[in-house]
Amino acid sequence: MPQAPVAIFVGGTSGIGRGMAEAFAHHMNGNARIIIIGRNQAAATEIIRSFPKPTKRTEPNTDSSPSDNPEAIHEFISADFSSISDVHETAKVLLDRLQRVDYLVLTQGVLLFAGRKETKEGLDEKMALSYYSRWTITRDLLPLLRKSENHGGARVYSVLSAGRGDLGSMDVDDLDLKKHYTIEKCRLAVSTYNDLSMQKFAKEDPQISFSHAYPGLVRSAMITSSRWWLTTAYYLFYPFFVYFSQTPEAAGKIHISACMASPPGFNSYGEMGESLKYTPADEEMVEYVWKHTLEVTESLKTE
């Protein structure tokens, strides 16, 4: 009997991350090891209970759903990915617990409509969640991704803003935006850095699929839990908003399909799962961002 695939969903307790986790669980009829990483234990418990139960029975435990296949376990790991040291610690747990990873889906993020908000580690919160944590968990889990038993290799799928960056806006002397920060600079930076990092990861491990996707407008709880004026505008214009946005469930199905079908190398996808044209960035710019990210994230690794 083929082994159950191993899939990790970071940020899988809400929005498109939840939609992708649910779509994957139903596609596999529950016969997969699914790990949701996030901060909302109650939401994760609710999501896991909704997953189809695997077809073979094994002993249930308090941290996962009952499973009939020793490998088809559905579980939640609590972690704060705005803290890069927490990302490293979570990776250590996974490296000890797993033999391989077949799918790594990254959707963590936060809506910020104010200036720079620093974490306890001195990083901007939006950049920590949308870029540094994604890079860190991907790099830390490469040993497990390389052992994937997927046909076509492991898949890493980062949902953010593929193709929405701007190389020309990069300041190699201020890559973490500590000197000059604006909301627009931050938006462009995390978009650009995700594209460049996926390009580099794919070059280093060409047997693995590394994808960056743009989901378009998704009717996520992130909007309704944001600033009061954004929530008010959302409900005020909701009848119009529905015409050019998707539910998390619909977006989840689109992007889990794109993820599972993505070929080895670097891929860029749009809101309907279509392939986007991507012109590889200059290697010098890629190396600037890579070196900076390595220095930042390694400095936050605990012993």
Side-chain angles (χ1 to χ4, degrees):
M1 179 179 177
Q3 291 186 315
V6 179
I8 298 172
F9 295 85
V10 182
T13 57
S14 65
I16 191 172
R18 175 174 182 161
M20 291 182 73
E22 290 174 334
F24 180 79
H26 283 85
H27 177 82
M28 300 303 302
N29 292 317
N31 292 303
R33 180 159 192 175
I34 302 174
I35 300 171
I36 296 175
I37 299 176
R39 291 181 284 191
N40 193 331
Q41 174 86 56
T45 299
E46 177 188 342
I47 295 163
I48 289 171
R49 283 176 180 164
S50 75
F51 289 170
K53 300 302 181 285
T55 50
K56 283 192 164 183
R57 192 88 180 165
T58 189
E59 292 301 317
N61 62 63
T62 57
D63 297 321
S64 64
S65 63
S67 164
D68 43 284
N69 180 332
E71 298 169 346
I73 298 169
H74 309 154
E75 60 187 311
F76 171 71
I77 294 177
S78 178
D80 179 4
F81 268 39
S82 67
S83 166
I84 304 306
S85 61
D86 213 6
V87 179
H88 285 303
E89 289 302 311
T90 303
K92 286 181 184 179
V93 170
L94 294 168
L95 287 163
D96 288 340
R97 189 181 294 183
L98 303 176
Q99 297 298 312
R100 71 185 193 284
V101 171
D102 299 301
Y103 300 95
L104 176 60
V105 176
L106 309 169
T107 62
Q108 67 269 33
V110 63
L111 281 177
L112 292 179
F113 294 92
R116 182 183 179 90
K117 180 182 178 183
E118 288 204 352
T119 67
K120 62 184 179 181
E121 295 172 332
L123 298 174
D124 173 67
E125 184 181 10
K126 184 174 178 63
M127 296 185 74
L129 284 166
S130 297
Y131 175 63
Y132 292 109
S133 69
R134 297 179 187 221
W135 189 96
T136 303
I137 194 65
T138 301
R139 184 171 183 271
D140 284 1
L141 293 185
L142 280 174
L144 296 179
L145 292 163
R146 290 167 182 154
K147 295 177 181 178
S148 172
E149 296 184 352
N150 262 344
H151 176 68
R155 273 84 170 179
V156 179
Y157 200 89
S158 181
V159 181
L160 187 67
S161 50
R164 265 57 182 180
D166 178 17
L167 274 174
S169 68
M170 277 179 51
D171 181 351
V172 296
D173 295 318
D174 188 30
L175 291 174
D176 55 6
L177 304 184
K178 284 192 174 184
K179 299 176 183 176
H180 305 288
Y181 183 97
T182 66
I183 295 172
E184 179 64 6
K185 279 181 177 290
C186 181
R187 183 191 70 79
L188 292 172
V190 296
S191 301
T192 303
Y193 299 173
N194 271 282
D195 275 338
L196 300 189
S197 66
M198 288 298 186
Q199 179 182 322
K200 173 73 171 180
F201 277 124
K203 181 180 179 180
E204 297 294 316
D205 283 271
Q207 79 281 8
I208 298 174
S209 170
F210 295 94
S211 302
H212 184 198
Y214 171 68
L217 288 172
V218 177
R219 300 197 288 278
S220 168
M222 188 183 294
I223 297 175
T224 54
S225 62
S226 186
R227 293 287 182 104
W228 68 267
W229 55 266
L230 183 63
T231 303
T232 301
Y234 172 78
Y235 286 115
L236 183 62
F237 295 102
Y238 183 82
F240 304 97
F241 188 66
V242 295
Y243 286 110
F244 52 87
S245 64
Q246 299 183 71
T247 64
E249 294 77 18
K253 290 177 182 178
I254 288 170
H255 287 281
I256 203 63
S257 294
C259 170
M260 297 180 74
S262 60
F266 175 55
N267 308 286
S268 187
Y269 293 103
E271 57 190 295
M272 298 309 296
E274 74 279 15
S275 293
L276 300 177
K277 183 178 179 181
Y278 176 76
T279 302
D282 180 81
E283 288 294 329
E284 184 177 8
M285 300 302 286
V286 174
E287 292 302 323
Y288 269 123
V289 174
W290 188 269
K291 182 180 178 182
H292 160 77
T293 310
L294 182 62
E295 290 175 350
V296 169
T297 58
E298 285 295 297
S299 71
L300 298 171
K301 183 180 287 186
T302 56
E303 295 298 329

